[in-house]
Amino acid sequence: GNSVTQMEGPVTLSEEAFLTINCTYTATGYPSLFWYVQYPGEGLQLLLKATKADDKGSNKGFEATYRKETTSFHLEKGSVQVSDSAVYFCALMRPSNTGKLIFGQGTTLQVKP
Amino acid sequence: GAVVSQHPSRVICKSGTSVKIECRSLDFQATTMFWYRQFPKQSLMLMATSNEGSKATYEQGVEKDKFLINHASLTLSTLTVTSAHPEDSSFYICSATGGRGEQYFGPGTRLTVT
């Protein structure tokens, strides 16, 4: 079946540190891949996405590259800020199921000043 | 950006009663809305797809008679948890699909059944 696996958190970093949150997926066909972020008390927001192999999604300094050979979509940021503290969700959407998202378990990021 | 609201944000009810949760798209029309359930420190699990003017489509394992979904207009979908029990206590999240297919999520509703 289709599934998404994220690294367990919480991830605690100091400000300006490099961030990587691992995400791997299992899917049939060629899914679209997403990273969502959930700030405290708010709904999930789309952070970035990639729709085909080797695509790189980027937003607000975050990047993730769709790697079909390793079935991965790792999230990276070169220098995190305290305001990046949130829960990050990796998700996939199968081409045949437009709209239906399958989420990873979420990774909590805590950035300390 | 597009805004989706949920009401109430949190609710406590007694076992055996029913609870209705509303999901509204505030500045756009949504032909499709989705309902998710999130357990503590776990992923969001899709419960059902709500289509305006037609019956909802439920995911495998979700009891349609227990979780009643009504999508009566292009801006409102409701989830009613009927005869709630403590194991129904959870965080319920809706999302609405905009014109370009992107999903916008509501802030969620915390249901506690005592």
Side-chain angles (χ1 to χ4, degrees):
Chain A
N2 300 288
S3 65
V4 177
T5 302
Q6 289 179 235
M7 62 187 290
E8 288 194 23
V11 174
T12 303
L13 296 173
S14 297
E15 208 164 20
E16 299 184 2
F18 184 86
L19 168 71
T20 300
I21 300 178
N22 290 336
C23 171
T24 57
Y25 68 90
T26 302
T28 53
Y30 298 89
S32 295
L33 301 174
F34 304 81
W35 276 101
Y36 283 86
V37 58
Q38 185 177 32
Y39 297 103
E42 299 183 18
L44 274 74
Q45 301 173 25
L46 178 64
L47 181 59
L48 53 84
K49 68 178 182 181
T51 57
K52 61 183 187 295
D54 299 325
D55 267 2
K56 177 185 283 187
S58 61
N59 185 24
K60 299 180 181 179
F62 291 89
E63 293 183 341
T65 301
Y66 190 142
R67 301 286 190 200
K68 184 164 177 59
E69 63 276 14
T70 55
T71 61
S72 65
F73 194 54
H74 304 322
L75 182 68
E76 297 182 337
K77 186 174 185 181
S79 176
V80 294
Q81 306 300 313
V82 173
S83 58
D84 293 327
S85 298
V87 182
Y88 292 81
F89 291 91
C90 185
L92 71 81
M93 182 187 302
R94 290 189 297 163
S96 59
N97 267 316
T98 301
K100 290 188 178 182
L101 289 166
I102 297 171
F103 286 90
Q105 70 268 40
T107 302
T108 300
L109 170 65
Q110 299 173 337
V111 180
K112 298 187 175 181
Chain B
V3 177
V4 174
S5 70
Q6 283 185 239
H7 177 79
S9 58
R10 55 179 65 231
V11 57
I12 301 172
C13 70
K14 292 186 176 180
S15 188
T17 62
S18 295
V19 175
K20 180 184 286 187
I21 302 170
E22 294 185 348
C23 176
R24 293 182 184 272
S25 57
L26 297 184
D27 52 0
F28 66 101
Q29 294 183 332
T31 55
T32 303
M33 290 184 174
F34 299 91
W35 286 96
Y36 295 85
R37 183 174 179 177
Q38 185 180 25
F39 292 99
K41 297 184 179 181
Q42 293 190 29
S43 177
L44 282 76
M45 300 297 295
L46 179 65
M47 298 175 65
T49 304
S50 171
N51 296 298
E52 189 267 338
S54 64
K55 291 184 178 180
T57 304
Y58 291 81
E59 295 300 301
Q60 191 173 9
V62 178
E63 299 176 61
K64 62 180 180 181
D65 294 330
K66 181 167 187 61
F67 299 100
L68 300 179
I69 292 172
N70 187 333
H71 194 159
S73 77
L74 287 172
T75 59
L76 172 65
S77 176
T78 60
L79 168 68
T80 301
V81 183
T82 63
S83 186
H85 289 94
E87 57 266 30
D88 299 325
S89 298
S90 192
F91 195 57
Y92 293 88
I93 300 172
C94 73
S95 70
T97 302
R100 293 188 296 176
E102 293 196 344
Q103 283 195 40
Y104 302 95
F105 285 80
T109 297
R110 173 75 60 193
L111 170 63
T112 303
V113 184
T114 61

